Amino acid sequence: MSDPIEPHPSSFVIFGVTGDLAARKLVPALHALQRSGSLHPETVVLGFGRSELSDDALRQRLGEALAEQLDGPLDDAWHHLSERIHYLRGGYDEPDAYARLAERLHDVGHGDHIYYTATPPQTYGDIVSGLADAGLAEEAEGYRRLVIEKPFGEDLDSARSLNALVLERFKETQVYRIDHYLAKETAQNLAVLRFANTLFEPIWSNRAIDHVQITMAEPMGMEGRGSFYDEAGVVRDVFQNHMLQLLALVTMEPPARYDADAVRDEKVKVLRALSCADPETAVLGQYTAGRSAPAYVDEPGVAPESRTPTYAAARFELHNWRWAGVPFYLRAGKRLEAKASEIVLTFRRPPHVPFDLPAPPRADRLILRLVPDEGISLRFNAKHPGQGIELDRVGLDFAYQGKYQRPNPDAYETLIQDVIEGDATLFMRADEVEVQWKVIAPLLAATDAKRPLPYAAGSMGPVEAAELLERDGRHWYRPRRA
Ligand code: BG6
């Protein structure tokens, strides 16, 4: 069943339309919405960029990128959408370009506007000011929504300044700060699992949970993003946003309603109680050559002497009643052996075991998989058939694939539709971004102070990361797929 189409068509302005994000994520998402009938058939896409390009050349270019992704011929949905794609050349710091944008929107567009910053982060300020100075933030003739890509700032101070600038020109309700992890089905399912069942919530605390692990392991390296990544590093790239957002979804209190204000209030509250336990014990790594992959420092765009970490693991604590005493171990890295984004909740062991067993029973685990094979698994002990008591490790598994015919929508498809519908639940609020930078600040300080430990591309990160848990008598859960 597709969602009801918005009554009015909107104009979707993509700043940085010739870049990678537009071709790889935004246009395919618009195409998917068009195909499923969820996009208003008169929606206009206005691409803005610095290159000299005609409307047709842009359509051609985006069509080729889409065909590659679809792995097949372009369909009617694309032909319909592409007729409504236009291009405008301009510099992001050129006031005149925004005046031309206003004219063009008037000529080819509609009253409702969405502005999307698919540009390098240093342009965000110019775009916000340019739009507002040209009167494009005023909502007299329709809505004006601003979607800001991550990274939102590079530390607490810069995030605060950017928030101040944005909120001087736009209202918070007009702003949609992206964290695409929030739109992954399993991330959204966390709230449903916890708050639409009675089974889990009573055991969702330090009374039953021993510890939580959040892993974001990626086999890929820089893929052309070397110069961006070398400035950012793993902590800014994924810890500050995706990892902390997942942690917040796991730990927040039940909101009274599932809406943007209530959900974000709860996330902010729990993030305020979070701290990096001891930045001294955090493990930072950088990949060296391995399994026919180059070393990080040999990737295009990376400085040869770079000390940027491509891997981090750290222990966090939550200082509140529900979670006091439960460690949260977070790890993320590039060029790792496995592709896996997952949350693993490990339960306490039984207080007393009435059987004669060669070893104590293993702890039960609930595994929430975001990437790949989205789904939820429960691993627990059961009796092996036959005489006497022997334990077997068994599982209950829910996988989206197999259960549903249609593959899960890409996160960007969900997010774009939410912006069109004016639902900011899956976007970050100003205070949320700032508290995340605050939580991560000690880890950023550690990355400045420490030289990253080497790990071979294709391994599971620096061996020292194991010690982070071994010290507490625990070990990392091994992702199912290598
Ligand atoms: C992005 C990071 O936000 O998320 C990338 O900048 C990372 O470094 C990507 O690869 C992972 O997203 P996904 O959806 O492929 O798991």
Side-chain angles (χ1 to χ4, degrees):
M1 193 181 74
S2 63
D3 296 290
I5 298 175
E6 277 294 285
H8 306 291
S10 51
S11 302
F12 196 89
V13 179
I14 305 178
F15 290 98
V17 74
T18 57
D20 189 50
L21 182 69
R24 231 167 22 88
K25 293 289 182 188
L26 306 185
V27 172
L30 287 165
H31 166 258
L33 290 171
Q34 171 84 50
R35 195 161 59 175
S36 66
S38 309
L39 196 67
H40 194 289
E42 285 161 40
T43 306
V44 161
V45 178
L46 182 46
F48 185 110
R50 284 178 292 207
S51 329
E52 202 60 69
L53 217 61
S54 65
D55 289 354
D56 280 341
L58 178 66
R59 291 169 187 160
Q60 167 93 18
R61 196 166 158 151
L62 294 172
E64 281 166 14
L66 181 67
E68 222 170 274
Q69 271 196 22
L70 295 177
D71 208 10
L74 292 167
D75 54 12
D76 286 348
W78 168 253
H79 296 305
H80 188 83
L81 179 68
S82 73
E83 280 169 13
R84 288 170 290 114
I85 295 182
H86 305 268
Y87 183 72
L88 180 71
R89 199 207 73 78
Y92 302 116
D93 57 354
E94 219 183 282
D96 184 47
Y98 295 88
R100 283 187 280 119
L101 175 62
E103 261 171 48
R104 197 75 192 274
L105 279 167
H106 185 262
D107 292 346
V108 299
H110 306 286
D112 292 327
H113 299 173
I114 293 168
Y115 311 117
Y116 199 116
T117 64
T119 49
Q122 53 281 15
T123 62
Y124 296 170
D126 286 336
I127 293 174
V128 168
S129 305
L131 285 169
D133 288 345
L136 288 169
E138 284 155 28
E139 296 201 288
E141 287 167 23
Y143 67 65
R144 304 284 180 264
R145 295 180 184 150
L146 173 67
V147 188
I148 307 187
E149 255 299 332
K150 66 173 265 284
F152 194 94
E154 57 185 42
D155 55 17
L156 179 57
D157 284 348
S158 53
R160 274 187 179 145
S161 311
L162 184 55
N163 267 332
L165 176 79
V166 170
L167 296 175
E168 211 176 284
R169 317 305 302 267
F170 287 81
K171 294 192 290 283
E172 176 65 39
T173 48
Q174 292 176 276
V175 184
Y176 295 75
R177 297 174 194 77
I178 290 260
D179 183 325
H180 80 280
Y181 257 60
L182 288 176
K184 290 198 183 276
E185 283 297 332
T186 304
Q188 295 189 67
N189 214 348
L190 254 164
V192 175
L193 182 82
R194 292 185 57 193
F195 310 134
N197 295 296
T198 50
L199 187 60
F200 298 104
E201 204 47 25
I203 53 168
W204 210 265
S205 75
N206 49 14
R207 289 197 209 159
I209 293 177
D210 175 74
H211 74 279
V212 177
Q213 299 182 17
I214 303 180
T215 294
M216 189 174 167
E218 297 181 282
M220 66 187 194
M222 289 305 108
E223 320 264 317
R225 296 167 79 224
S227 53
F228 159 76
Y229 196 91
D230 208 32
E231 292 285 314
V234 64
V235 178
R236 288 190 175 89
D237 188 38
V238 300
F239 261 69
Q240 188 271 343
N241 33 71
H242 308 328
M243 303 286 280
L244 291 189
Q245 281 292 324
L246 294 180
L247 199 153
L249 291 175
V250 171
T251 57
M252 71 180 186
E253 292 300 316
R257 286 192 49 75
Y258 192 69
D259 65 26
D261 281 337
V263 170
R264 297 187 298 179
D265 284 348
E266 294 304 339
K267 281 196 287 167
V268 168
K269 208 159 74 188
V270 81
L271 285 165
R272 285 203 181 118
L274 181 70
S275 70
C276 178
D278 177 7
E280 274 306 300
T281 62
V283 178
L284 300 161
Q286 188 188 80
Y287 59 84
T288 55
R291 290 209 194 154
S292 69
Y296 173 68
V297 289
D298 293 329
E299 296 264 18
V302 172
E305 301 290 315
S306 174
R307 288 172 54 158
T308 299
T310 59
Y311 176 98
R315 182 180 189 274
F316 289 79
E317 283 170 358
L318 257 172
H319 307 281
N320 65 17
W321 265 64
R322 191 193 278 258
W323 295 110
V326 177
F328 293 82
Y329 302 99
L330 272 52
R331 63 175 165 169
K334 295 280 187 193
R335 284 261 194 248
L336 295 184
E337 180 187 21
K339 179 175 174 67
S341 290
E342 60 188 24
I343 303 165
V344 180
L345 293 97
T346 301
F347 291 87
R348 288 178 182 277
R349 287 171 197 272
H352 169 72
V353 181
F355 317 109
D356 271 336
L357 297 172
R362 286 160 67 183
D364 306 332
R365 298 199 202 249
L366 181 65
I367 300 140
L368 307 152
R369 279 188 312 280
L370 294 100
V371 177
D373 302 336
E374 281 195 82
I376 301 173
S377 300
L378 186 63
R379 312 283 303 156
F380 58 101
N381 302 310
K383 183 185 170 298
H384 191 280
Q387 259 194 319
I389 300 285
E390 198 187 319
L391 300 194
D392 233 353
R393 197 64 171 164
V394 298
L396 291 175
D397 290 301
F398 155 62
Y400 285 83
Q401 206 186 0
K403 165 80 183 156
Y404 302 104
Q405 285 188 334
R406 209 190 147 204
N408 285 349
D410 184 73
Y412 279 88
E413 201 180 318
T414 305
L415 292 173
I416 289 176
Q417 188 161 13
D418 281 357
V419 177
I420 295 173
E421 286 169 12
D423 181 355
T425 311
L426 302 182
F427 295 82
M428 291 183 292
R429 206 166 58 187
D431 50 351
E432 203 173 349
V433 178
E434 291 182 15
V435 70
Q436 291 182 164
W437 280 116
K438 220 182 226 168
V439 170
I440 231 66
L443 209 48
L444 283 178
T447 66
D448 289 341
K450 287 189 194 176
R451 182 170 276 286
L453 300 161
Y455 65 94
S459 69
M460 241 351 239
V463 286
E464 289 81 354
E467 288 161 22
L468 185 71
L469 274 76
E470 279 163 11
R471 203 175 285 137
D472 299 343
R474 302 184 175 103
H475 63 271
W476 288 110
Y477 182 77
R478 202 178 166 75
R480 192 164 71 172
R481 278 211 165 171

